[in-house]
């Protein structure tokens, strides 16, 4: 009897706790939609293209931040992807060497590294010498955040290739360069691409690394890579802390847009593959 | 014979000439000299010395785990992909030590077909054959590439089955077709020697028969070294057989000799199924 | 003997791709260097007191400046501990539920939901936390408890704004649950079938079986908790929007506070007008750097040791 009661309590509590674990997601999706969608509808197309409204003066637009996010993701990919992919290859090709193992460990550490520390670092080495916030600094900070995702997934994708294909490629009298970059990379391309997209989705939503690097902009779309630039997460962060009601509405609208961008990248990838490393 | 020699010096001269002619005609394609292979401290190939004549099918047989595949991979230095492998002794390809050659060059001259049927799954049938040619820059024009791919597929007796679907993924072919594609891939580089590591181990009997027929065809132009764990396959396809047991070369000779009159007790035991 | 791969006497492949790995090491080491170099100034001025005092005196006059980040360290640890305490039962339950009990049709969707949660931009947690979670917790959790149980130190602070250690901890707990759960889930799924069979063959109920099986993957649970703690302690913007950003060392869950990362996020923008504040914040960052490093290494070590067993 006692045993059966325990069993019931156990099953019920485990179900309840599990639902509780994912309940916030639905509440977040719901809240962001309920608060953000009307802003987007009311603001219309201008909300996506316009510049920031003045306090208490309507919705304006978040076009500057949207442009900024795309520019930053593009620039950071340009900086980070080549380094990350090749470093991932290194870790996969030399798994037993000291440097290979160390690279892998370092990448895993960087994967979990507080991103605010990256922002602070970039400020000190780029922003301070240059004298101002810049798209370049923001992109570098995001690149540093992005690299471990891409490198680790590259490494994993390369390691999943059965040894026999490696042998086959070498048996064709190819140099290791060609074996790795022309044959094996082709085979691993799905995994590598997934890592790249996840990395990009991740940095598109990052705020902390940009706080002291990108600087933010809300009225001029793009001033050059050596000048400050906006980003959607950065805009939301700043607006939430303002006392103005219309700024809070804009923040919800921006959050809705950011959520859509994230889900649009993430869900297709996630449905295509089984496991995603976040 | 001695009497004849002393009789006629002229005849002896002719005889020597014939002998030399025979010697050069049956050239040694691959020769191993006191070859040893270790994985870490594990001694897997023990002082193997072998001579493999040109344009024959040479079978290496033995129970699984006897080191056949390792020996085969030593011939074109593919064994060196294993970080913990160490090779001692020498291997000569037409008299030239492979260790003095660029391994890239060795592997171009000694092609390989694997036990695990492994055409590149992300490439088309055409690309699988063309890849080695393109990446090694062995062809000068698109036209030459097309011709060489066609030639290789014909050599591998696959052309008629795939000529209308060259852009299909290789993974859409049957197992036997995939293996012939792998043979075409190796042949495209115009190697002198073809290594085959249990090429039919994962194939059904009909596909196996096709591959074996193909091997018979190919030996006119290539030296084929085939690893097999099946004595009956060795008997069907090979001209010469080497029997390897626990990393040691037990016996080597013409196929009739080995199967009908083995010199070693161990060979006989293996052939009659008492070991292996 | 020439190299097996390149045919040259050196491994040219290795030599050519090594710089890319080296670059990542370089960035990491440069980062460490920058943190040390910039912290030196405040260490020379205050010594260890930067970490052991709770004072924040920003002054135009460098003589009067004094910085102690103890409150932020306290807040980081406090909120992350709350997060882990919340995440632990949720993530274990979720792992067990998804593997053993969820209807097979829904299984994949449950996992997708947690994957989305793990990847969702943290600023979205932040805005939801600030505008939805904090008011909810304040009205339906903090005040009811405070009104009845304020004599207990944990509940002793009147939750005037709702911004508090508890709000930060709950939000962080929600954020790290999917992450901890995925580690535990992986380990739980990997338990060899023979153990499951064995457990049920001795007549265990599902509850008893789960308990036994969970004890089998204890290291993964520990690692999951440690890594989740590491993630929580490093989180910045979501926390900074709900923790209150006040220098405060108070036992109450309902009191506002600071965390190291929110301190940096809040103060660094105007730190350059002071002589020592930049250095003080770098020193705070350095402590986060090492906590992050230690926690992640430890978590990875426990996980890896499991793998090798």
């Amino acid at each position: 009897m006692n045993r059966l009661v325990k069993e019931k309590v156990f099953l019920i509590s485990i179900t309840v706790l599990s639902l509780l674990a994912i309940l916030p997601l639905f509440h977040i999706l719901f809240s962001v939609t309920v608060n953000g969608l009307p802003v987007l509808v009311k603001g219309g197309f201008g909300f996506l293209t316009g510049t920031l409204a003045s306090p208490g003066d309507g919705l304006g637009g978040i076009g500057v931040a949207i442009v900024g996010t795309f520019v930053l993701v593009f620039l950071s990919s340009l900086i980070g992807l080549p380094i990350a992919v090749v470093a991932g290859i290194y870790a996969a090709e030399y798994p037993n060497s000291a440097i290979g193992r160390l690279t892998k460990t370092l990448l895993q550490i960087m994967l979990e590294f507080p991103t605010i520390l990256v922002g602070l670092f970039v400020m000190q080495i780029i922003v301070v010498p240059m004298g101002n916030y810049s798209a370049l600094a923001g992109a570098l900070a995001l690149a540093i955040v992005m690299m471990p995702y891409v490198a680790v997934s590259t490494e994993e994708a390369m390691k999943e290739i059965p040894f026999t294909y490696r042998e086959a490629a070498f048996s064709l009298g190819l140099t290791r360069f060609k074996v790795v970059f022309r044959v094996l990379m082709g085979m691993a391309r799905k995994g590598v691409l997934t890592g790249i997209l996840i990395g990009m989705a991740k940095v598109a939503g990052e705020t902390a690394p940009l706080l002291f690097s990108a600087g933010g902009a809300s009225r001029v779309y793009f001033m050059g890579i050596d000048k400050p630039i906006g980003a959607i997460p950065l805009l939301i962060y700043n607006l939430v802390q303002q006392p103005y009601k219309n700024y809070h509405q804009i923040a919800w609208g921006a959050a809705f847009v950011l959520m859509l961008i994230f889900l649009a990248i993430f869900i297709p990838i996630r449905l295509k593959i089984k496991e995603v490393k976040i | 014979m001695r009497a004849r020699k002393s009789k006629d010096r002229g005849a002896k001269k002719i005889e020597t000439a014939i002998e030399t002619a025979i010697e050069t005609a049956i050239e040694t394609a691959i020769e191993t000299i006191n070859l040893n292979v270790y994985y870490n401290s594990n001694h897997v190939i023990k002082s193997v010395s072998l001579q493999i004549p040109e344009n024959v099918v040479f079978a290496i047989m033995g129970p699984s785990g006897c080191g056949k595949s390792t020996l085969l991979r030593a011939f074109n230095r593919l064994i060196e992909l294993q970080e913990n492998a160490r090779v001692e002794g020498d291997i000569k390809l037409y008299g030239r030590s492979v260790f003095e050659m660029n391994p890239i060059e060795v592997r171009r001259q000694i092609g390989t077909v694997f036990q695990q049927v492994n055409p590149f799954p992300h490439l088309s049938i055409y690309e699988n054959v063309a890849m080695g040619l393109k990446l090694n820059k062995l062809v000068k024009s698109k036209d030459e590439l097309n011709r060489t791919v066609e030639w290789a597929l014909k050599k591998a007796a696959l052309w008629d089955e795939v000529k209308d679907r060259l852009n299909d993924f290789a993974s859409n072919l049957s197992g036997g077709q995939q293996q012939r594609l792998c043979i075409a891939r190796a042949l495209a580089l115009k190697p002198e020697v073809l290594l085959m590591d249990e090429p039919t181990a994962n194939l059904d009997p009909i596909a196996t028969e096709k591959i074996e027929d193909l091997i018979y065809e190919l030996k006119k132009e290539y030296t084929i070294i085939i690893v097999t764990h099946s004595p009956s396959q060795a008997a069907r396809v090979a001209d010469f057989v080497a029997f390897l047991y626990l990393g040691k070369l037990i016996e080597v000779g013409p196929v009739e000799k080995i199967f009908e009159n083995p010199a070693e007790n161990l060979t006989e035991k293996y052939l009659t199924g008492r070991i292996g | 003997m020439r190299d097996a791969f390149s045919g040259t006497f050196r491994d040219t492949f290795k030599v050519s791709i090594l710089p890319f790995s080296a670059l990542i090491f370089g960035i990491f080491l440069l980062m460490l260097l920058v943190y040390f170099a910039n912290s030196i100034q405040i260490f020379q001025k205050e010594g260890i007191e930067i970490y052991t005092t709770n004072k924040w005196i920003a002054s135009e006059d460098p003589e009067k400046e004094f910085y102690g980040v103890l409150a932020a360290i306290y807040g980081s640890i406090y909120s992350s501990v709350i997060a882990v305490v919340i995440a632990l039962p949720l993530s274990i339950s979720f792992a067990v539920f998804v593997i053993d009990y969820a209807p097979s049709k829904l299984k994949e969707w449950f996992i997708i939901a947690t994957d989305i949660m793990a990847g969702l931009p943290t600023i979205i947690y932040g805005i939801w936390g600030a505008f939805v979670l904090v008011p909810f917790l304040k009205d339906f959790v903090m005040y009811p408890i405070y009104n009845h149980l304020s004599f207990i130190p944990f509940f002793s602070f009147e939750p005037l704004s709702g911004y508090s250690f508890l709000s930060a901890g709950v939000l962080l707990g929600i954020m790290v649950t999917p992450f901890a759960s995925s580690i535990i889930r992986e380990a739980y799924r990997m338990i060899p079938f023979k153990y499951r069979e064995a457990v049920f063959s001795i007549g265990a109920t599902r509850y008893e079986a789960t308990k036994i099986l969970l004890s089998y993957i204890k290291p993964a649970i520990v690692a999951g908790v440690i890594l989740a703690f590491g993630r929580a302690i490093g989180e910045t913007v979501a926390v900074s929007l709900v923790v209150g950003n006040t220098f405060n060392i108070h036992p109450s869950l309902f009191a506002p506070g600071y965390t190291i990362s929110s301190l940096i996020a809040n103060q660094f923008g105007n730190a350059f007008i002071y002589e020592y504040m930049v250095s003080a914040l770098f020193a705070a960052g350095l402590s986060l750097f090492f906590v992050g490093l230690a926690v992640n290494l430890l978590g990875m070590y426990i996980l890896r040791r499991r793998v090798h067993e």
Side-chain angles (χ1 to χ4, degrees), chain A residues 10 14, chain C residues 92 95-97 99-101 183-202 204-222 306:
Chain A
F10 164 71
I14 212 163
Chain C
I92 293 177
V96 171
F97 179 73
I99 302 281
D100 284 347
Y101 303 112
I183 294 170
I184 298 168
R185 192 181 72 218
E186 244 349 83
Y188 192 71
R189 200 166 57 87
M190 292 297 188
I191 297 176
F193 185 71
K194 56 179 180 182
Y195 290 112
R196 285 171 189 276
E197 241 178 2
V199 168
F200 282 107
S201 74
I202 56 173
T205 62
R206 297 212 255 195
Y207 165 67
E208 289 156 353
T210 304
K211 225 168 79 175
I212 296 168
L213 292 175
L214 281 177
S215 70
Y216 179 77
I217 58 156
K218 218 185 217 163
I221 296 175
V222 173
R306 246 191 86 71

Coordinates of all heavy atoms in Angstrom, one line a residue, chain A residues 10 14, chain C residues 92 95-97 99-101 183-202 204-222 306:
Chain A
F10 N 5.2 9.8 -6.9 CA 6.4 10.0 -7.7 C 6.0 10.3 -9.1 O 6.5 11.3 -9.7 CB 7.2 8.7 -7.7 CG 8.2 8.5 -8.7 CD1 9.4 9.3 -8.7 CD2 8.1 7.7 -9.8 CE1 10.3 9.2 -9.7 CE2 9.0 7.5 -10.8 CZ 10.1 8.3 -10.8
I14 N 6.8 13.9 -10.8 CA 7.8 14.0 -11.9 C 7.2 14.7 -13.2 O 7.8 15.4 -13.9 CB 8.4 12.6 -12.2 CG1 9.8 12.8 -12.7 CG2 7.6 11.9 -13.2 CD1 10.6 11.5 -12.6
Chain C
I92 N 16.2 17.1 -13.2 CA 16.2 15.6 -13.1 C 14.9 15.1 -13.4 O 14.8 14.1 -14.2 CB 16.6 15.3 -11.6 CG1 18.0 15.7 -11.3 CG2 16.4 13.8 -11.4 CD1 18.4 15.4 -9.8
A95 N 14.5 15.1 -17.2 CA 15.3 14.0 -17.8 C 14.6 12.7 -17.7 O 14.5 11.9 -18.7 CB 16.7 14.0 -17.2
V96 N 14.2 12.3 -16.5 CA 13.6 11.0 -16.3 C 12.2 11.0 -17.0 O 11.9 10.0 -17.7 CB 13.3 10.8 -14.7 CG1 12.5 9.6 -14.5 CG2 14.7 10.7 -14.0
F97 N 11.5 12.0 -17.0 CA 10.2 12.1 -17.6 C 10.3 11.8 -19.1 O 9.6 11.0 -19.7 CB 9.5 13.4 -17.3 CG 8.1 13.5 -17.9 CD1 7.0 12.9 -17.4 CD2 8.0 14.4 -19.0 CE1 5.8 13.0 -18.0 CE2 6.7 14.5 -19.6 CZ 5.6 13.8 -19.1
I99 N 12.7 10.5 -20.8 CA 13.3 9.2 -21.3 C 12.3 8.1 -21.0 O 12.0 7.2 -21.8 CB 14.6 8.9 -20.5 CG1 15.6 10.0 -20.8 CG2 15.2 7.6 -20.9 CD1 16.3 10.0 -22.1
D100 N 11.7 8.1 -19.8 CA 10.9 7.0 -19.3 C 9.4 7.1 -19.5 O 8.7 6.1 -19.8 CB 11.2 6.7 -17.9 CG 12.6 6.0 -17.7 OD1 13.1 5.6 -18.7 OD2 13.1 6.0 -16.5
Y101 N 8.9 8.3 -19.3 CA 7.4 8.4 -19.2 C 6.7 9.2 -20.2 O 5.5 9.0 -20.4 CB 7.1 8.9 -17.8 CG 7.7 8.1 -16.7 CD1 8.7 8.5 -15.9 CD2 7.2 6.7 -16.5 CE1 9.2 7.7 -14.9 CE2 7.8 5.9 -15.6 CZ 8.8 6.4 -14.7 OH 9.3 5.6 -13.8
I183 N 22.4 17.5 -19.9 CA 23.5 16.7 -19.5 C 23.0 15.4 -18.7 O 23.5 14.3 -19.0 CB 24.4 17.5 -18.5 CG1 25.1 18.7 -19.4 CG2 25.5 16.7 -17.9 CD1 25.8 19.7 -18.5
I184 N 22.0 15.7 -17.8 CA 21.5 14.5 -17.1 C 20.8 13.6 -18.0 O 20.9 12.3 -17.9 CB 20.6 15.0 -15.9 CG1 21.4 15.9 -15.0 CG2 19.9 13.9 -15.2 CD1 20.5 16.7 -14.0
R185 N 20.0 14.1 -18.9 CA 19.3 13.3 -19.9 C 20.2 12.3 -20.6 O 19.9 11.2 -20.8 CB 18.5 14.2 -20.8 CG 17.4 13.5 -21.6 CD 16.7 14.5 -22.5 NE 17.6 14.9 -23.6 CZ 17.6 16.1 -24.1 NH1 16.9 17.1 -23.6 NH2 18.4 16.4 -25.1
E186 N 21.3 12.9 -21.1 CA 22.2 12.1 -21.9 C 22.7 11.0 -21.1 O 22.8 9.8 -21.6 CB 23.4 13.0 -22.3 CG 23.7 13.3 -23.8 CD 22.9 12.5 -24.7 OE1 21.7 12.8 -25.0 OE2 23.4 11.4 -25.2
A187 N 23.1 11.2 -19.9 CA 23.7 10.2 -19.0 C 22.6 9.2 -18.7 O 22.9 7.9 -18.7 CB 24.2 10.8 -17.7
Y188 N 21.4 9.6 -18.4 CA 20.3 8.7 -18.0 C 20.0 7.8 -19.2 O 19.7 6.6 -19.0 CB 19.1 9.5 -17.6 CG 18.0 8.7 -16.9 CD1 18.2 8.2 -15.6 CD2 16.8 8.5 -17.5 CE1 17.3 7.5 -15.0 CE2 15.8 7.8 -16.9 CZ 16.1 7.3 -15.6 OH 15.1 6.5 -15.0
R189 N 20.0 8.4 -20.4 CA 19.7 7.6 -21.6 C 20.8 6.5 -21.9 O 20.5 5.5 -22.4 CB 19.6 8.5 -22.8 CG 18.8 8.0 -24.0 CD 18.5 9.2 -24.9 NE 19.8 9.8 -25.4 CZ 20.5 9.4 -26.4 NH1 20.1 8.4 -27.1 NH2 21.6 10.1 -26.7
M190 N 22.0 6.8 -21.5 CA 23.1 5.9 -21.7 C 23.2 4.8 -20.8 O 24.1 3.9 -21.0 CB 24.4 6.7 -21.7 CG 24.6 7.7 -22.8 SD 24.6 6.9 -24.4 CE 25.1 8.3 -25.5
I191 N 22.4 4.8 -19.7 CA 22.5 3.6 -18.8 C 22.2 2.4 -19.5 O 21.2 2.2 -20.2 CB 21.5 3.8 -17.6 CG1 21.8 5.1 -16.8 CG2 21.5 2.6 -16.7 CD1 20.8 5.3 -15.7
P192 N 23.1 1.4 -19.5 CA 23.0 0.2 -20.2 C 21.6 -0.5 -19.9 O 21.2 -0.5 -18.7 CB 24.2 -0.7 -19.8 CG 25.2 0.3 -19.3 CD 24.4 1.4 -18.7
F193 N 21.0 -1.1 -20.9 CA 19.7 -1.7 -20.7 C 19.8 -2.8 -19.6 O 18.8 -3.0 -18.9 CB 19.2 -2.3 -22.0 CG 17.8 -2.8 -21.9 CD1 16.7 -2.0 -21.8 CD2 17.6 -4.2 -22.0 CE1 15.5 -2.4 -21.7 CE2 16.3 -4.7 -21.9 CZ 15.2 -3.8 -21.7
K194 N 20.9 -3.5 -19.5 CA 21.0 -4.6 -18.6 C 20.7 -4.1 -17.2 O 20.2 -4.9 -16.3 CB 22.3 -5.3 -18.7 CG 23.5 -4.5 -18.6 CD 24.8 -5.3 -18.7 CE 26.0 -4.4 -18.5 NZ 27.3 -5.0 -18.6
Y195 N 21.2 -2.9 -16.9 CA 20.9 -2.4 -15.5 C 19.5 -2.1 -15.3 O 18.9 -2.4 -14.2 CB 21.7 -1.1 -15.3 CG 23.2 -1.3 -15.2 CD1 24.0 -0.8 -16.2 CD2 23.8 -2.0 -14.1 CE1 25.4 -1.0 -16.2 CE2 25.1 -2.2 -14.1 CZ 25.9 -1.7 -15.1 OH 27.3 -1.9 -15.0
R196 N 18.8 -1.5 -16.3 CA 17.4 -1.3 -16.2 C 16.6 -2.6 -15.9 O 15.8 -2.8 -15.0 CB 16.8 -0.7 -17.4 CG 17.2 0.8 -17.6 CD 16.8 1.3 -19.0 NE 17.4 2.6 -19.1 CZ 16.8 3.7 -18.7 NH1 15.6 3.6 -18.2 NH2 17.4 4.9 -18.9
E197 N 17.0 -3.6 -16.8 CA 16.4 -4.9 -16.6 C 16.6 -5.5 -15.2 O 15.7 -5.9 -14.6 CB 17.1 -5.8 -17.6 CG 16.2 -6.4 -18.7 CD 17.0 -7.3 -19.6 OE1 18.3 -7.4 -19.4 OE2 16.4 -7.8 -20.5
A198 N 17.8 -5.4 -14.8 CA 18.2 -5.9 -13.5 C 17.4 -5.3 -12.4 O 16.8 -6.0 -11.5 CB 19.7 -5.7 -13.2
V199 N 17.2 -4.0 -12.5 CA 16.5 -3.2 -11.4 C 15.1 -3.7 -11.4 O 14.5 -4.0 -10.3 CB 16.6 -1.7 -11.7 CG1 15.6 -1.0 -10.8 CG2 18.0 -1.2 -11.4
F200 N 14.4 -3.8 -12.5 CA 13.0 -4.2 -12.5 C 12.9 -5.7 -12.2 O 11.8 -6.1 -11.6 CB 12.4 -3.9 -13.9 CG 12.0 -2.4 -14.0 CD1 12.8 -1.6 -14.8 CD2 11.0 -1.9 -13.3 CE1 12.5 -0.2 -14.9 CE2 10.7 -0.5 -13.3 CZ 11.4 0.3 -14.2
S201 N 13.9 -6.5 -12.5 CA 13.8 -7.9 -12.3 C 13.7 -8.2 -10.8 O 13.3 -9.3 -10.4 CB 14.9 -8.6 -12.9 OG 16.1 -8.4 -12.2
I202 N 14.3 -7.3 -9.9 CA 14.2 -7.5 -8.5 C 12.9 -7.0 -7.9 O 12.8 -6.9 -6.7 CB 15.4 -7.0 -7.8 CG1 15.5 -5.5 -8.0 CG2 16.7 -7.7 -8.1 CD1 16.6 -4.8 -7.2
A204 N 11.4 -4.0 -8.3 CA 11.3 -2.6 -7.9 C 10.1 -1.9 -8.6 O 9.7 -2.2 -9.7 CB 12.6 -1.8 -8.3
T205 N 9.5 -0.9 -7.8 CA 8.5 -0.1 -8.5 C 9.3 0.9 -9.3 O 10.5 1.0 -9.3 CB 7.7 0.7 -7.4 OG1 8.6 1.5 -6.7 CG2 7.0 -0.3 -6.5
R206 N 8.5 1.7 -10.1 CA 9.1 2.6 -11.0 C 9.9 3.7 -10.2 O 11.0 4.1 -10.6 CB 8.1 3.3 -11.8 CG 7.4 2.3 -12.7 CD 7.0 3.0 -14.0 NE 5.5 3.2 -14.0 CZ 4.9 3.5 -15.1 NH1 5.5 3.6 -16.3 NH2 3.6 3.7 -15.1
Y207 N 9.3 4.0 -9.0 CA 10.0 5.0 -8.2 C 11.3 4.5 -7.7 O 12.3 5.2 -7.8 CB 9.0 5.4 -7.0 CG 9.7 6.1 -5.9 CD1 10.2 7.4 -6.1 CD2 9.9 5.5 -4.6 CE1 10.9 8.1 -5.0 CE2 10.5 6.1 -3.6 CZ 11.0 7.4 -3.8 OH 11.7 8.1 -2.8
E208 N 11.2 3.3 -7.2 CA 12.5 2.7 -6.7 C 13.5 2.5 -7.8 O 14.7 2.8 -7.6 CB 12.2 1.3 -6.0 CG 11.4 1.5 -4.7 CD 10.6 0.3 -4.3 OE1 10.5 -0.7 -5.2 OE2 10.0 0.2 -3.2
A209 N 13.0 2.1 -8.9 CA 13.9 1.9 -10.1 C 14.6 3.2 -10.5 O 15.8 3.2 -10.6 CB 13.2 1.3 -11.2
T210 N 13.8 4.2 -10.6 CA 14.4 5.5 -10.9 C 15.4 6.0 -9.9 O 16.5 6.5 -10.3 CB 13.3 6.6 -11.1 OG1 12.3 6.1 -12.0 CG2 13.8 7.9 -11.5
K211 N 15.1 5.7 -8.7 CA 16.0 6.2 -7.6 C 17.4 5.4 -7.8 O 18.4 6.0 -7.7 CB 15.4 5.9 -6.2 CG 15.6 7.0 -5.3 CD 14.7 6.8 -4.0 CE 15.4 5.9 -3.0 NZ 14.6 5.8 -1.8
I212 N 17.3 4.1 -8.0 CA 18.5 3.4 -8.2 C 19.3 3.8 -9.4 O 20.5 4.0 -9.4 CB 18.2 1.9 -8.3 CG1 17.6 1.4 -7.0 CG2 19.5 1.1 -8.6 CD1 17.0 0.0 -7.0
L213 N 18.5 4.0 -10.5 CA 19.2 4.4 -11.8 C 19.8 5.8 -11.6 O 20.9 6.1 -12.2 CB 18.2 4.4 -12.9 CG 17.7 3.0 -13.3 CD1 16.7 3.0 -14.4 CD2 18.9 2.1 -13.8
L214 N 19.1 6.7 -10.9 CA 19.7 8.0 -10.8 C 21.0 8.0 -9.9 O 21.9 8.7 -10.2 CB 18.7 9.0 -10.1 CG 17.6 9.5 -11.0 CD1 16.6 10.3 -10.2 CD2 18.2 10.3 -12.2
S215 N 21.0 7.1 -9.0 CA 22.3 7.0 -8.2 C 23.4 6.5 -9.0 O 24.6 6.8 -8.8 CB 22.1 6.1 -7.0 OG 21.9 4.8 -7.4
Y216 N 23.0 5.8 -10.1 CA 24.1 5.3 -11.0 C 24.7 6.4 -11.8 O 25.9 6.3 -12.2 CB 23.4 4.2 -11.9 CG 24.3 3.6 -13.0 CD1 25.2 2.6 -12.6 CD2 24.3 4.1 -14.3 CE1 26.1 2.1 -13.6 CE2 25.1 3.5 -15.3 CZ 26.0 2.5 -14.9 OH 26.8 2.0 -15.8
I217 N 23.9 7.4 -12.1 CA 24.5 8.5 -12.9 C 24.8 9.8 -12.1 O 24.8 10.9 -12.5 CB 23.5 8.9 -14.1 CG1 22.1 9.3 -13.5 CG2 23.4 7.8 -15.1 CD1 21.4 10.3 -14.5
K218 N 25.0 9.5 -10.8 CA 25.3 10.7 -9.9 C 26.3 11.6 -10.4 O 26.2 12.8 -10.3 CB 25.7 10.1 -8.5 CG 25.1 10.9 -7.3 CD 25.7 10.4 -6.1 CE 24.7 10.4 -4.9 NZ 25.1 9.5 -3.9
P219 N 27.5 11.1 -10.9 CA 28.5 12.1 -11.4 C 27.9 13.0 -12.5 O 28.3 14.2 -12.5 CB 29.6 11.2 -12.0 CG 29.4 9.8 -11.3 CD 27.9 9.7 -11.0
A220 N 27.1 12.5 -13.4 CA 26.6 13.4 -14.4 C 25.7 14.5 -13.8 O 25.6 15.6 -14.2 CB 25.8 12.6 -15.4
I221 N 24.9 14.1 -12.7 CA 24.1 15.0 -12.1 C 24.9 16.1 -11.4 O 24.6 17.3 -11.5 CB 23.1 14.3 -11.0 CG1 22.2 13.4 -11.8 CG2 22.4 15.4 -10.2 CD1 21.3 12.5 -10.9
V222 N 26.0 15.7 -10.8 CA 26.9 16.6 -10.1 C 27.5 17.6 -11.2 O 27.5 18.8 -11.0 CB 28.0 15.9 -9.3 CG1 29.0 16.9 -8.8 CG2 27.4 15.1 -8.2
R306 N 33.7 10.1 -16.2 CA 32.6 9.2 -16.4 C 32.7 8.4 -17.7 O 32.5 7.3 -17.8 CB 31.3 9.9 -16.4 CG 30.4 9.6 -15.3 CD 29.1 10.3 -15.5 NE 28.2 9.4 -16.3 CZ 27.7 8.3 -15.9 NH1 27.9 7.9 -14.6 NH2 26.9 7.5 -16.6

